Amino acid sequence: MPNDDEVSALVRETMSDFTDAIRTGNFSMLYEKASTDFQSTYTEDQTKEVFHEFIAKKSLVVPILEKTNSFEAQFDPRPSIRKEKGLDILVANGKYDTKPLPVRFEYEYVKRDGEWKMLKLVVQLTK
């Protein structure tokens, strides 16, 4: 299990990459950093399509996402490791208490070649 600082840094990097993808409409960097498991399940275009509403409303969404840089992630529940098919899966769910809407996230990472790689990406802007 990575320590709290490592989990926070991983989540912050994923959120930053996600924010850039929404801002530019280019998901290539986010996709390239994802696990091979994620890449074998979803194409880059499918990943982009899931977030088409964020892109369509980016003038409203991006300023909120950018605010996450100045907030600490609030994890709920605490990050944990689960085993799946013999692999360590890091589960990190929580929110950033941004205004006017909090940014909620559900991230999962799989350990591949000694590095944590994104396996699940869910981001919502809801009360």
Side-chain angles (χ1 to χ4, degrees), residues 33-81:
K33 288 184 175 182
S35 67
T36 54
D37 313 78
F38 183 94
Q39 292 172 355
S40 66
T41 305
Y42 307 102
T43 66
E44 185 178 327
D45 286 339
Q46 287 171 323
T47 305
K48 183 176 179 177
E49 179 58 29
V50 167
F51 295 104
H52 72 277
E53 286 187 34
F54 279 49
I55 296 166
K57 298 176 181 175
K58 71 179 170 185
S59 64
L60 300 171
V61 171
V62 169
I64 296 170
L65 293 176
E66 286 176 336
K67 289 178 184 178
T68 62
N69 287 327
S70 57
F71 284 80
E72 288 297 318
Q74 299 172 8
F75 295 103
D76 184 28
R78 284 189 51 76
S80 61
I81 298 281

Side-chain angles (χ1 to χ4, degrees), residues 5-44:
D5 289 342
E6 292 169 323
V7 175
S8 291
L10 194 57
V11 166
R12 184 173 303 281
E13 180 182 359
T14 302
M15 186 61 72
S16 178
D17 292 343
F18 177 75
T19 301
D20 288 343
I22 298 300
R23 181 187 308 106
T24 64
N26 181 346
F27 278 67
S28 62
M29 187 169 68
L30 181 73
Y31 190 77
E32 287 168 13
K33 288 184 175 182
S35 67
T36 54
D37 313 78
F38 183 94
Q39 292 172 355
S40 66
T41 305
Y42 307 102
T43 66
E44 185 178 327

Side-chain angles (χ1 to χ4, degrees), residues 75-121:
F75 295 103
D76 184 28
R78 284 189 51 76
S80 61
I81 298 281
R82 69 178 166 82
K83 291 280 191 186
E84 186 175 306
K85 299 179 183 173
L87 297 170
D88 288 336
I89 309 293
L90 172 61
V91 180
N93 298 335
K95 71 175 183 173
Y96 288 96
D97 204 14
T98 52
K99 303 289 183 212
L101 295 170
V103 177
R104 299 185 185 284
F105 60 88
E106 296 175 25
Y107 295 156
E108 290 185 1
Y109 302 89
V110 61
K111 195 145 199 180
R112 294 281 189 196
D113 299 322
E115 287 187 57
W116 292 105
K117 299 286 192 170
M118 183 187 67
L119 183 64
K120 178 181 177 183
L121 172 73

